[in-house]
Each structure stands twice: as C-alpha cells, then as structure tokens.
Amino acid sequence: MVTLADLQVTTLGQPTIPSPLAEYVGGRATNEYYVGEDDRVLFDDTISLVKARGLPLDELPTFEAGGARDRIYFDPATTRAGIVTCGGLCPGLNDVIRAIVFELYEHYGVTDVLGFRNGYAGLVPECGLEPMVLTPESVANIHERGGTVLGSSRGAQEVDVVVDELEARGVNLFFVIGGDGSMRGAHKIAQECLRRGNDIAVVGVPKTIDNDIPHIGQSFGFQTAFSRAAESIKAAKVEAEAALGGVGIVKVMGRHAGFIACYSAIAGHDADFVLIPEVPFDLDGEHGLLAHLHRRVAERGHAVIVVAEGAGQQHCETSGATDPSGNAVLGDIGILLRERIRADFSGRGEPVNVRYFDPGYLIRSVPADPVDSVYCARLAQIAVHAAMSGRTDMVVGRRRHRFVNVPIAYVTHRPHSVSPDGDLWLSVLESTSQPHAMRA
Ligand code: F6P
C-alpha cells in the first residue's frame, strides 16, 4: 500500500536563488502562480478510500504539486541542460523538446541546452553521436512535425558511461523523455548522480502512446494516437458494411495495455469486438470469438474487430525473441484472426470478406493534435520548474487536473493496464455489446 514516503520527491539541496520568474508574477498582489511546499495533491479520490486509511491528514499519501517555486536551486547563468528522447516515437515529442528549450531560455535565462541524439546511445562516446545545440531559433517550428528532431533508440546503456558523459559535458539538468524502460534507466542515472554528489538533476517526461505508465494521468500523445486509430476503425466499418459478409479487422499498437484499442473503439462506436491483452479470449467453442462473430454477422450483415497487438498471444506462434528494450517479440494476432475467420466462415459455407487494417506506425509518427500539444507544452514547463528548483529522480504527471511531481521509482514499480473489472472496460462492453467473456 502506498505511503507518503513513497511519494516524496528527492531534492539536491535547499533552493536559495530568487526565481527569475518573479518578473512575471512579482507585480501581483499575491504570488498565486507559485506552488508552496504544503500544496499537495491527494492520492485517494474518494472519501471512502481516505477513511479506510485511518491516518491523520498530514500522513495521508499525497503527491507534490508540480509548478514554479519562488526559489530555485540552479544559477541560470552557469547552468547547462541536456535533453534526450528514448524508445518508440510518440506524437508530441517535438512539442516537449521545444517547450523545454523555450522555458529554459526565455523564462529562466538558461541559454545552454544540448540535445543528445538517438536516445541513451547519444550519451555513449563510442557511438560517435555529437549532441545538437538547441536554441529557441532551432526549435521554433519543430512541433509542426511528427517524430523527434533528436532521433531515438531503444535499449539501456551503461549507467556509469552515461553519467561520466553528463559530467564531461557539464550538464546540470538532464531531461529524459521516454517510456517505462527509459524511466528505469533515468532512475539509475539519477541514483548514480546522487551517489557521486555531482549536482545533476534528472527529470523525466513520461512518453508512451500505449498509456501504460501509472499515476501520471494520461500520457502525452495518447489522445492523438487513438484518434488516428479511430480513423482506421471508421474505414473498416465502411468497408465491412459494403461487403457481403464483411468483417473489418483493425490491429492497433498496445503490447501489454489495451488503452489504444479501447479508446479508439469507443470514440466511433463502430466496433463490434475489442480484444486486448488484459482480457483473454477463446477462438473456438460456442462462446468463443468465432461463434460470436458469426452470430453478429448473421444479425447485422457485417462486423468490426479492433485488436491490440498484444491480445490473444496464447493463440499465436512466438519466436521467444526480445527487442532491444527487452520486450517479447509478439506473434501476429491480426493475421491469425484474418486467417481463422476466413477458414471458419468458409467451413460453414458462408460468404466472408475480410478487410484488414494495420495502421501501425501511422498513429504515432504524426504531429500532436492541439489538445496533446497544449499538454506537452505544459508538462515540459512543469519539468523545467522542477529541475530548476533542484528536484531529481522524478517525473511530471497530472492527477485530477493538477500537475504533480512523482518519484520515478513510483511510476515504474508496476505497469498501468486496462482493468477487466474497471469502468473503462465496462464502457467498451457497453459500446460494442460484445459478451463479457468469450471463453469456450
Ligand atoms: O512501446 C510502445 C509501442 O507503441 C508498442 O505498443 C509497440 O509494440 C511498439 O511501440 C512498437 O515500436 P517499435 O517497432 O519501435 O519497437
């Protein structure tokens, strides 16, 4: 069970320097833009959960509020920042890079920012990837493009080598934009920096189109990604409706978490079945997917299946191989469904026309939509406030409309996934009218 201690963010020392942001807020009667140390965001969101803890108020688990502080730790004149983007692409990466650079330059007066190339590999000298110098001019328009101007890569690197490089480059603030694996790496880097006492702040901006990092609200880029996936579902519906025995299949990303499948399916109400890694299903038998699909096509003339890539892996052949991030290489559930559905309908002597869609990388390589762009810019600003105030080994997130600072260890201790007993999955069931369980 979470305790207040689990949510305490590490600081490098007492912030003593008046914040340069005073210029913006100083003229006001109160410094309402600043966040105070007592301004903490409740972990629990219902009275019953709070009551069940039986704790005095000041011992309840709470998050530190994210935001600007009136005192900072780093002297802007002598501070150098570094930014790295790691792992798979995600809409909004360039928005985050841009906003970090602008916040540092324009509001804190930190005019020395390096962009490390291609993930953690860019911090390994023998990879030969010289960092880019980032300025407001060089990043001014990057948010208009998908991807990351810094490039990315998967996989961890030797922590000692990375910290040596940060020290050699004179970096004081290190911003890591990455998924859970990259955040585990950032935690190790932050711990090593603390051990060496080198005064380097490590602050993460969690990135995952799969939305599978816990306690941070929704991850940036997720909304853009599922909106793109919803377009494929709409197309699958149109195709399936027009064909005799039309079955649309849309395979979307989501290795361990089915959030993209769930949200994109609910968005258009065009899906008849949503298959996610968290909810196992059988293919055969009276209550298996094929029998239900057959009944749905008989009733409505067509059907659409949205399947997350990590769903139904027990039905697929897998190689046992792993990718550079250590993730198991998945079997292709989309192709398997296509073949099994064709075989099943022809075995019954019934017509079927399967329309197969795999929007794949299309949903994550696009620029962020305006909602995500706003979110990216604000997360980046909160990350800069945290780093400048000397916070380290933490990520920024959002809880109940408040930005929060969360220890990295707390967001990497377990993955976030769709609860089969939760209200999101219930919404999927209500939207699709698929059976609660498809087990033979
Ligand atoms: O990790 C996020 C993710 O979108 C997964 O859902 C997907 O399996 C993976 O990235 C694919 O990325 P890549 O092909 O770059 O490894």
Side-chain angles (χ1 to χ4, degrees), residues 365-414:
S365 54
V366 293
D369 71 15
V371 174
D372 265 330
S373 283
V374 172
Y375 190 33
C376 289
R378 297 192 67 196
L379 283 171
Q381 289 161 351
I382 300 296
V384 172
H385 295 319
M388 286 303 289
S389 72
R391 279 154 175 81
T392 188
D393 201 6
M394 55 150 277
V395 299
V396 290
R398 204 153 195 227
R399 294 279 288 205
R400 294 190 282 285
H401 302 290
R402 290 295 307 272
F403 287 99
V404 289
N405 298 333
V406 188
I408 297 179
Y410 198 66
V411 298
T412 52
H413 76 291
R414 67 164 174 86

Side-chain angles (χ1 to χ4, degrees), residues 88-89 154 208-210 253-255 309 323 330 361 364:
L89 294 184
R154 285 198 181 276
T208 153
I209 60 161
D210 294 351
M253 284 189 174
R255 188 183 286 131
E309 63 183 336
D323 74 6
L330 298 171
Y361 297 105
R364 71 176 204 188

Side-chain angles (χ1 to χ4, degrees), residues 89-91 146-147 209 221 223-233 235 250-253 260 357-368:
L89 294 184
C90 178
I209 60 161
Q223 168 164 313
T224 306
F226 83 70
S227 305
R228 283 300 168 119
E231 291 169 12
S232 294
I233 299 171
V250 183
K251 186 179 88 169
V252 295
M253 284 189 174
I260 296 175
F357 292 72
D358 183 350
Y361 297 105
L362 192 67
I363 71 169
R364 71 176 204 188
S365 54
V366 293

Side-chain angles (χ1 to χ4, degrees), residues 121-129 161-162 165:
L123 286 115
V124 175
E126 68 182 33
C127 294
L129 299 161
V161 174
V162 170
E165 180 67 358

Side-chain angles (χ1 to χ4, degrees), residues 12-203:
L12 294 172
Q14 190 63 30
T16 55
I17 304 169
S19 171
L21 287 178
E23 212 179 294
Y24 295 92
V25 298
R28 300 179 69 93
T30 60
N31 285 344
E32 64 214 46
Y33 295 127
Y34 288 135
V35 174
E37 298 316 309
D38 289 340
D39 187 4
R40 298 191 63 93
V41 178
L42 282 172
F43 182 92
D44 298 316
D45 60 356
T46 61
I47 295 281
S48 54
L49 287 171
V50 171
K51 274 188 187 162
R53 289 189 191 274
L55 290 172
L57 268 185
D58 58 3
E59 286 176 29
L60 285 172
T62 50
F63 292 98
E64 177 178 276
R69 263 79 190 168
D70 63 351
R71 291 278 184 281
I72 58 174
Y73 182 76
F74 289 99
D75 177 0
T78 56
T79 296
R80 170 175 274 193
I83 308 175
V84 69
T85 52
C86 309
L89 294 184
C90 178
L93 285 166
N94 281 334
D95 296 71
V96 176
I97 296 167
R98 181 187 188 280
I100 290 175
V101 173
F102 267 84
E103 187 67 18
L104 286 167
Y105 258 78
E106 306 282 337
H107 301 136
Y108 281 98
V110 174
T111 58
D112 194 355
V113 187
L114 294 178
F116 293 101
R117 295 174 197 261
N118 296 102
Y120 288 133
L123 286 115
V124 175
E126 68 182 33
C127 294
L129 299 161
E130 193 56 23
M132 295 164 78
V133 173
L134 300 175
T135 63
E137 294 72 36
S138 71
V139 301
N141 301 317
I142 61 173
H143 59 298
E144 292 165 8
R145 295 203 305 272
T148 159
V149 287
L150 300 179
S152 192
S153 69
R154 285 198 181 276
Q157 300 292 342
E158 285 291 320
V159 173
D160 275 336
V161 174
V162 170
V163 177
D164 286 349
E165 180 67 358
L166 289 172
E167 289 178 352
R169 296 270 178 194
V171 169
N172 312 103
L173 315 177
F174 184 43
F175 297 96
V176 179
I177 312 168
D180 56 349
S182 315
M183 288 306 149
R184 273 189 282 276
H187 175 57
K188 288 183 188 153
I189 293 164
Q191 290 291 312
E192 178 60 13
C193 289
L194 287 167
R195 197 189 64 77
R196 294 190 191 186
N198 59 15
D199 254 8
I200 298 176
V202 180
V203 171

Side-chain angles (χ1 to χ4, degrees), residues 162-389:
V162 170
V163 177
D164 286 349
E165 180 67 358
L166 289 172
E167 289 178 352
R169 296 270 178 194
V171 169
N172 312 103
L173 315 177
F174 184 43
F175 297 96
V176 179
I177 312 168
D180 56 349
S182 315
M183 288 306 149
R184 273 189 282 276
H187 175 57
K188 288 183 188 153
I189 293 164
Q191 290 291 312
E192 178 60 13
C193 289
L194 287 167
R195 197 189 64 77
R196 294 190 191 186
N198 59 15
D199 254 8
I200 298 176
V202 180
V203 171
V205 183
K207 169 239 56 157
T208 153
I209 60 161
D210 294 351
N211 198 33
D212 57 356
I213 297 184
H215 310 301
I216 57 154
Q218 190 165 294
S219 54
F220 76 80
F222 170 67
Q223 168 164 313
T224 306
F226 83 70
S227 305
R228 283 300 168 119
E231 291 169 12
S232 294
I233 299 171
K234 181 69 63 193
K237 171 82 166 180
V238 170
E239 286 286 346
E241 261 178 338
L244 194 60
V247 175
I249 301 175
V250 183
K251 186 179 88 169
V252 295
M253 284 189 174
R255 188 183 286 131
H256 307 294
F259 289 105
I260 296 175
C262 291
Y263 273 75
S264 58
I266 297 172
H269 298 287
D270 290 322
D272 293 276
F273 300 94
V274 176
L275 307 174
I276 60 172
E278 297 89 333
V279 181
F281 61 92
D282 289 329
L283 285 167
D284 301 307
E286 197 192 335
H287 302 292
L289 172 69
L290 293 170
H292 283 295
L293 176 68
H294 178 254
R295 286 192 280 272
R296 186 62 67 93
V297 173
E299 278 162 29
R300 300 189 183 172
H302 61 273
V304 172
I305 301 171
V306 178
V307 57
E309 63 183 336
Q313 286 299 298
Q314 71 275 23
H315 304 300
C316 301
E317 274 181 33
T318 48
S319 64
T322 52
D323 74 6
S325 300
N327 301 305
V329 174
L330 298 171
D332 198 329
I333 184 66
I335 297 297
L336 178 126
L337 286 178
R338 186 179 71 186
E339 300 315 316
R340 289 296 309 272
I341 290 167
R342 281 180 179 154
D344 181 70
F345 276 74
S346 61
R348 295 169 192 265
E350 290 175 12
V352 68
N353 278 291
V354 182
R355 304 288 192 241
Y356 185 70
F357 292 72
D358 183 350
Y361 297 105
L362 192 67
I363 71 169
R364 71 176 204 188
S365 54
V366 293
D369 71 15
V371 174
D372 265 330
S373 283
V374 172
Y375 190 33
C376 289
R378 297 192 67 196
L379 283 171
Q381 289 161 351
I382 300 296
V384 172
H385 295 319
M388 286 303 289
S389 72

